[in-house]
Amino acid sequence: MTPSLARPRWLQVVRLLDPTLVRLAWPLALMACIGLGGMLLRHQSPLERILVGFTDQVALKTYDRLVQRVLALAASACELRADPSDASLRAAAEDWRAARAQWKAAAAVQFGPAAFYNLDKQISSWPLDRPRVDQLIAEIAAGRRTLDAAALRRMDATLRGFHAAEYLLFHDGRPRPASDLTPAELTYLAAVTQALSEDAVTLNAWWVGRERLPAEQAALLDAARIQTRGAYAEEFARAGQPGSRYRSRAVAVQEVFQDSVEVAEALCVRLAETLASRDPRDSDTWYSWNALADFGQEVRSIQNAYLGRLDRVRAPSLSQLVASRNPILDRRIKIGLADTAWQIAHFGALYPGRQADRALAMRVVVSSCMKMEARLEVAMGQLFPNTTGAAVDPATLFEGL
């Protein structure tokens, strides 16, 4: 019997004395273990529980889902290249929208590796350099250039990513007819989606650690000769401890809050610009007309970061931290997030859009977003009053929580 499975000596003695006591002893032992675990959990600070919960339930799950969606898009692009039918193109277009949704749902967690290594720009650089893309496609068609993901990765980020794939898959908000795509365009699309897969897996590897990647993802990075090191998730969750660039837990929690506020602020501006226009070129999805879906997913990303979860799993969160100080403000933030998401979803068609009530609908959506963003800023100001100065000392901010 291995040591990990061996019964305690006292339990062996009890078993010799009375079998009935054995049946009672194991539940008691289990309760003792649970009680010990609960006691250890209670000894964690509120900020530590928030960081661990955010890392496990939001960041890592978000990037894992992004990888799965992007890999599905790359597989669809390969199938389209092998069988350029309308059905294959529609499937690839649907996978693009699904992958794009997951990328936008990651908006509030695009700090850390995404920013450190410019992976956010490589995945979704805007604007697309369309003239240069057309030139490369023409060179492929003429036989003057071969192109794969490795070659594309050595070029500028404006030639790849979500927007390059969008350009090849969509026209006027709908999937293009498969007959419109040339073999050179299909080659470019396959290279773009493969490079996009490598970038998404690289981002996941920086967060979770290369040794914890699934075998197929590790093999993809090996084949692309992409190196990563460390696990940002561990460093972030262990803020304030040796080996972490965060000198306190408060600084790390503040970064989550600050990133959510910045996403909300930028979202409100882009909502006003996009909804006021009837021209798709006033958004960053010229070809798919995906702006409303993008906006909705960005609200979802803020909501995920604030509630500390993607699913119904309860975890320590920014919401609980705000509620511990100002429960009314916490409820108003939740209402603002839900209302902004609802208003965006029910705005209606962007192009050509409605006539008489379009201006009113736009004002309602933007107003809802601005209220949401203002409430988040108020909450951050109450929790982190020294946001423009030195890092906040968690011992003074959260004493007694």
Side-chain angles (χ1 to χ4, degrees), residues 320-393:
Q320 293 177 1
L321 191 61
V322 173
S324 70
R325 292 298 182 90
N326 193 333
I328 294 176
L329 179 58
D330 173 62
R331 286 196 295 272
R332 287 179 175 174
I333 290 173
K334 292 175 181 176
I335 291 170
L337 287 164
D339 184 62
T340 303
W342 192 92
Q343 296 294 347
I344 291 171
H346 291 80
F347 180 80
L350 272 178
Y351 318 112
R354 297 171 294 196
Q355 300 296 324
D357 60 344
R358 182 184 177 94
L360 175 61
M362 180 203 69
R363 287 196 295 271
V364 170
V365 175
V366 175
S367 174
S368 179
C369 182
M370 292 178 69
K371 289 178 184 177
M372 172 195 70
E373 188 261 335
R375 291 166 185 171
L376 286 169
E377 282 203 32
V378 169
M380 188 174 71
Q382 290 183 0
L383 292 174
F384 304 98
N386 197 25
T387 55
T388 59
V392 180
D393 181 1

Side-chain angles (χ1 to χ4, degrees), residues 113 117 119 153 198-199 201-203 205-207 209-211 213 217-230:
Y117 308 110
L119 286 165
R153 287 175 60 83
E198 294 167 359
D199 290 334
V201 173
T202 300
L203 182 52
W206 277 113
W207 267 91
R210 193 184 186 105
E211 67 281 0
L213 285 179
Q217 294 184 32
L220 185 148
L221 294 187
D222 288 341
R225 298 182 179 181
I226 296 173
Q227 300 295 322
T228 64
R229 63 183 182 278

Side-chain angles (χ1 to χ4, degrees), residues 197-397:
S197 296
E198 294 167 359
D199 290 334
V201 173
T202 300
L203 182 52
N204 193 36
W206 277 113
W207 267 91
V208 74
R210 193 184 186 105
E211 67 281 0
R212 295 186 179 90
L213 285 179
E216 63 275 13
Q217 294 184 32
L220 185 148
L221 294 187
D222 288 341
R225 298 182 179 181
I226 296 173
Q227 300 295 322
T228 64
R229 63 183 182 278
Y232 183 77
E234 292 183 2
E235 180 183 346
F236 186 76
R238 294 174 60 254
Q241 300 181 38
S244 174
R245 75 192 70 198
Y246 295 95
R247 59 178 174 175
S248 73
R249 298 184 185 104
V251 171
V253 172
Q254 183 177 330
E255 180 162 36
V256 177
F257 224 130
Q258 182 67 49
D259 209 60
S260 296
V261 169
E262 290 175 359
V263 171
E265 184 178 9
L267 171 64
C268 295
V269 173
R270 286 169 35 244
L271 272 170
E273 294 174 350
T274 302
L275 301 188
S277 173
R278 301 183 188 278
D279 189 343
R281 290 173 294 182
D282 288 328
S283 76
D284 60 358
T285 52
W286 289 10
Y287 312 103
S288 63
W289 296 4
N290 206 61
L292 284 177
D294 281 2
F295 296 150
Q297 290 299 322
E298 288 183 31
V299 177
R300 180 187 168 198
S301 78
I302 301 169
Q303 186 175 51
N304 291 342
Y306 186 72
L307 298 180
R309 65 178 188 265
L310 270 65
D311 307 307
R312 295 186 179 275
V313 178
R314 292 183 61 85
S317 63
L318 296 178
S319 171
Q320 293 177 1
L321 191 61
V322 173
S324 70
R325 292 298 182 90
N326 193 333
I328 294 176
L329 179 58
D330 173 62
R331 286 196 295 272
R332 287 179 175 174
I333 290 173
K334 292 175 181 176
I335 291 170
L337 287 164
D339 184 62
T340 303
W342 192 92
Q343 296 294 347
I344 291 171
H346 291 80
F347 180 80
L350 272 178
Y351 318 112
R354 297 171 294 196
Q355 300 296 324
D357 60 344
R358 182 184 177 94
L360 175 61
M362 180 203 69
R363 287 196 295 271
V364 170
V365 175
V366 175
S367 174
S368 179
C369 182
M370 292 178 69
K371 289 178 184 177
M372 172 195 70
E373 188 261 335
R375 291 166 185 171
L376 286 169
E377 282 203 32
V378 169
M380 188 174 71
Q382 290 183 0
L383 292 174
F384 304 98
N386 197 25
T387 55
T388 59
V392 180
D393 181 1
T396 59
L397 269 181

